[in-house]
Amino acid sequence: MEKWLLTYPEDGLVQKAYAFAEDAHKGMTRDSGEPFITHPLAVAKLIHEWRLDEASVVSALLHDVVEDSEYSLKTIEKQFGEEVAHIVNGLTKLKEFKYGENPDSENIRKLVLSFSKDLRVILVKLADRLHNMQTLKFKSASKQKEIAWETIEIYAPIAYRLGMQKLSGELDDLAFPYLYPDEYAWLMDAVKEKYEERESYAKKLKPLLHDMLKDSHIVPISVDSRAKRYYSLYRKLLRNDMELEKIYDLVALRIIVHSVEECYAVLGTIHKHWAPLSGRFKDYIAVPKPNGYRSLHTTVSTPDAKITEIQIRTQEMHEEAEFGIAAHWAYEQIKDSKSKKETWGGVKNRKELLWVEQLRNWQKSFANQKDFLDSLKVDFFKERIFVVTPKNDVIDLPAGATPIDFAYHIHSEIGNQCVGARVNGKIVPIDYELHSGDLVEIMTQKGKKPSEDWLRFVKSSMAKKYLRSFTREKDRKIKKATHPQHVEFKIVNLDRPGYLKDVTSVFADLKINIEFLNSQTDPRFTYSIVTVRCPSVSQEKLQKVLVKIKSISGTNEVSFKYIR
Ligand code: MN
């Protein structure tokens, strides 16, 4: 048994889960040829190293059991409790999800997050992904591309949002060569020498820095150089005309000190000796990045006319920068280990609220940026759900949405003709409340009309809009059907030259179109009858017509009737 496993009690859940998983995966191998258990074990070890709680470690050990063995979620719940079963269920759901033909990365990120109401689901998933990426070389070429795409598009950005910069960078760099082999090869070729040159230069600066700080009576915890990650460098080069010379943080120096005061003291000392480049100083301590990142960054001119970026932070900031939310949660857990259960428990606890709160804050701060982070426009857990079409496209709907909302989201005609729905293969009522991850199929019938009643339960503005416009259209048609369309005047007159012209000018003056005009002389009388038909007019206009016609000389009698 691995050493880290032995740090957990022999009769505890972790060791029990290990034995359970080993048995469940017995005889199975990975593509590398190793026994399958090496995978959940590696994932659980990462979770252990991130200092997450016991339920997370147990869930990591069991995360592939439901999919790969005859053991059901029920068994896991019986043996390991509701909490573990809940996390394993979230992980299984994530695995079952397959992307559509035109995957929308942002919606998939949202879907993944919405599955992860419990933060531990996503943390175990990220550890799982990291280990899968580390062993990706054993997969087929097409699988490699698919998994690398998911990693760079979905999981690395999620890790970044959670402040887990180290993990996010690792995932990117593992996926980079599989996804963009030519670009990767070019970059390696282009930067190799530059990196080495900058690394050895950074080494030369370190003793100078130490001396400088000593004069200011500061003893740093460490002064290290850190090389920029490849994929992040590649992205930066794309924004900078592929000119390596413009990248000042290819190799940056990182100074870690004991307190915030020392951070600023170090900054002052450095600026006294090495001139800062204007516009390059960033105080992420006063104004942290939306993902929680705190540090001071400055770019200074260093000896031999070089330019170097220096990052200054405390140990705590450093750990948070590397491990993000995981570090934060681990701290919290240590701080109040007495109330451990409560802090990791259900959705309503403080940590969950913090996590939701944090997402909300990011959403605010990124509202104006065009990069992937501008996506968090929704309040995940309270107001939005993410459901899946039979083609595996992810549809974003308001919480409480029904199959009717879903149908109108797909197409207005699908909404109008909706007669029923299947959710996860089962027929449901059309006012059924959908949940994140539901697979929704709509049944339609040609010529079917929507029901006004639907307005009572639909949630999306799109469905409401269509239903209202349909209702209005219907009202209009009813009106059309019951209201007379035309009015016909019969005018008995003494026929005289110019009489007909006088009649038509009455209508012209009142801007009424004449649809039909006829003049007939009854041979038995000296009278003639003029018939005028026009579109139905208001009572007011009708009166005017009558008065004006009566006033024409020669008019004997006017009558009218409505016709359809
Ligand atoms: Mn796995």
Side-chain angles (χ1 to χ4, degrees):
M1 201 178 286
E2 287 188 20
K3 231 186 191 169
W4 68 269
L5 271 172
L6 297 171
T7 62
Y8 292 89
E10 210 185 315
D11 55 353
L13 284 185
V14 171
Q15 293 208 22
K16 183 180 167 191
Y18 172 64
F20 187 92
E22 196 176 36
D23 178 58
H25 295 298
K26 191 174 252 152
M28 295 168 59
T29 50
R30 303 199 83 213
D31 293 323
S32 62
E34 286 177 297
F36 191 87
I37 187 67
T38 55
H39 168 63
L41 198 57
V43 176
K45 192 179 177 202
L46 281 165
I47 293 298
H48 165 78
E49 284 165 357
W50 294 351
R51 289 178 292 170
L52 300 184
D53 68 340
E54 190 184 60
S56 307
V57 179
V58 170
S59 304
L61 284 165
L62 302 175
H63 81 272
D64 279 328
V65 162
V66 175
E67 188 192 36
D68 293 342
S69 75
E70 75 270 25
Y71 292 109
S72 68
L73 198 63
K74 274 244 155 62
T75 316
I76 288 185
E77 186 173 342
K78 253 183 233 148
Q79 302 237 15
F80 300 95
E82 204 183 324
E83 202 181 358
V84 168
H86 174 70
I87 300 173
V88 171
N89 186 34
L91 288 160
T92 310
K93 266 175 117 182
L94 271 180
K95 233 178 305 174
E96 283 165 359
F97 176 73
K98 298 277 180 290
Y99 307 104
E101 285 156 31
N102 303 301
D104 173 344
S105 311
E106 188 44 42
N107 266 354
I108 297 168
R109 286 181 211 126
K110 288 177 190 165
L111 177 82
V112 169
L113 288 172
S114 74
F115 275 150
S116 317
K117 283 187 182 122
D118 189 319
L119 180 62
R120 293 171 292 180
V121 173
I122 192 66
L123 291 174
V124 175
K125 181 69 195 179
L126 290 171
D128 177 42
R129 180 45 54 110
L130 179 59
H131 187 247
N132 283 335
M133 287 306 297
Q134 286 164 344
T135 50
L136 195 61
K137 61 169 178 272
F138 301 106
K139 292 271 179 197
S140 69
S142 68
K143 267 273 165 210
Q144 284 175 346
K145 274 238 174 340
E146 186 189 319
I147 296 173
W149 178 87
E150 269 180 27
T151 301
I152 251 175
E153 284 291 322
I154 315 294
Y155 291 104
I158 286 176
Y160 183 84
R161 275 181 210 178
L162 298 177
M164 305 171 81
Q165 299 202 31
K166 186 169 175 238
L167 177 64
S168 165
E170 267 179 291
L171 288 173
D172 275 340
D173 277 1
L174 285 164
F176 186 24
Y178 291 105
L179 211 51
Y180 307 107
D182 298 340
E183 292 83 346
Y184 178 77
W186 171 84
L187 188 77
M188 287 300 123
D189 198 41
V191 300
K192 199 173 173 287
E193 239 170 80
K194 204 78 188 147
Y195 260 130
E196 281 165 8
E197 178 198 317
R198 299 292 294 177
E199 285 279 13
S200 68
Y201 178 69
K203 262 199 197 102
K204 276 203 334 207
L205 290 183
K206 274 191 220 170
L208 299 179
L209 261 174
H210 273 291
D211 288 348
M212 222 185 258
L213 295 179
K214 208 170 168 190
D215 288 345
S216 302
H217 309 289
I218 299 167
V219 182
I221 296 174
S222 64
V223 177
D224 277 310
S225 57
R226 80 102 185 90
K228 195 165 186 64
R229 289 196 175 269
Y230 294 122
Y231 186 62
S232 127
L233 172 63
Y234 176 68
R235 297 279 302 260
K236 201 163 184 175
L237 282 168
L238 285 179
R239 296 194 298 269
N240 286 282
D241 315 316
M242 301 316 259
E243 282 181 50
L244 217 45
E245 292 308 317
K246 288 186 183 169
I247 314 292
Y248 299 131
D249 63 343
L250 194 59
V251 175
L253 282 166
R254 186 175 283 160
I255 305 172
I256 296 175
V257 292
H258 298 90
S259 67
V260 173
E261 293 74 38
E262 275 189 357
C263 290
Y264 290 101
V266 168
L267 181 77
T269 303
I270 290 170
H271 282 179
K272 211 162 70 191
H273 291 83
W274 296 334
L277 264 69
S278 72
R280 303 274 319 181
F281 168 64
K282 294 194 184 81
D283 188 344
Y284 295 122
I285 294 180
V287 186
K289 279 192 190 180
N291 66 358
Y293 177 79
R294 289 181 300 159
S295 191
L296 298 177
H297 287 192
T298 186
T299 307
V300 294
S301 49
T302 41
D304 309 320
K306 302 253 188 212
I307 291 167
T308 308
E309 181 175 302
I310 300 178
Q311 305 173 350
I312 309 155
R313 56 177 81 150
T314 66
Q315 183 66 35
E316 190 185 350
M317 289 174 200
H318 180 59
E319 285 192 26
E320 278 187 21
E322 302 256 311
F323 297 105
I325 249 170
H328 182 68
W329 260 262
Y331 276 133
E332 288 281 310
Q333 202 188 324
I334 292 159
K335 263 187 232 159
D336 48 23
S337 54
K338 262 188 202 158
S339 52
K340 191 170 151 189
K341 265 249 146 58
E342 290 152 46
T343 51
W344 275 107
V347 179
K348 287 229 157 57
N349 72 40
R350 206 163 69 83
K351 273 177 184 158
E352 288 297 342
L353 290 176
L354 265 171
W355 142 250
V356 173
E357 194 51 44
Q358 206 155 345
L359 283 177
R360 240 182 252 152
N361 288 338
W362 299 347
Q363 164 198 335
K364 278 182 210 149
S365 29
F366 279 99
N368 296 320
Q369 289 197 20
K370 276 237 149 72
D371 62 283
F372 66 79
L373 288 152
D374 74 353
S375 54
L376 287 157
K377 281 181 191 126
V378 290
D379 178 348
F380 290 107
F381 307 119
K382 291 205 175 113
E383 287 160 18
R384 307 301 295 183
I385 58 162
F386 302 91
V387 296
V388 184
T389 72
K391 282 187 172 169
N392 278 316
D393 292 320
V394 179
I395 306 287
D396 173 352
L397 292 171
T402 63
I404 298 292
D405 292 287
F406 176 89
Y408 275 107
H409 194 284
I410 304 292
H411 195 279
S412 61
E413 273 313 297
I414 306 235
N416 285 340
Q417 300 178 0
C418 178
V419 287
R422 254 192 295 267
V423 170
N424 303 324
K426 283 198 195 102
I427 293 194
V428 297
I430 49 173
D431 60 351
Y432 176 85
E433 185 180 333
L434 298 172
H435 295 95
S436 271
D438 281 346
L439 174 76
V440 188
E441 292 166 84
I442 295 298
M443 294 175 275
T444 56
Q445 190 181 69
K446 271 234 152 61
K448 163 89 174 48
K449 299 277 177 269
S451 156
E452 266 173 72
D453 193 43
W454 295 353
L455 271 169
R456 277 193 308 110
F457 58 76
V458 294
K459 290 285 182 298
S460 62
S461 43
M462 199 184 290
K464 282 181 190 161
K465 195 188 91 190
Y466 282 125
L467 283 172
R468 287 209 185 99
S469 77
F470 185 83
T471 317
R472 266 200 303 275
E473 176 72 9
K474 208 172 83 186
D475 285 351
R476 219 167 57 81
K477 276 188 182 149
I478 291 171
K479 258 192 190 158
K480 245 188 179 170
T482 51
H483 280 69
Q485 304 283 301
H486 311 275
V487 59
E488 196 174 272
F489 298 91
K490 274 210 183 317
I491 311 160
V492 181
N493 64 91
L494 280 166
D495 199 15
R496 62 160 174 89
Y499 183 81
L500 206 57
K501 188 175 165 278
D502 289 347
V503 169
T504 53
S505 39
V506 167
F507 288 87
D509 290 350
L510 288 165
K511 295 192 166 59
I512 300 170
N513 288 328
I514 292 174
E515 293 174 333
F516 175 80
L517 178 71
N518 186 32
S519 179
Q520 258 184 338
T521 307
D522 190 322
R524 289 169 298 169
F525 303 104
T526 48
Y527 294 111
S528 111
I529 298 169
V530 174
T531 307
V532 184
R533 198 185 302 154
C534 64
S536 177
V537 292
S538 66
Q539 282 299 316
E540 198 193 332
K541 265 195 180 174
L542 186 75
Q543 289 308 319
K544 279 184 188 165
V545 172
L546 295 175
V547 169
K548 285 201 171 185
I549 288 177
K550 272 181 187 163
S551 69
I552 299 172
S553 98
T555 302
N556 191 296
E557 196 190 317
V558 190
S559 66
F560 70 90
K561 65 173 184 193
Y562 288 114
I563 52 173
R564 296 256 148 82

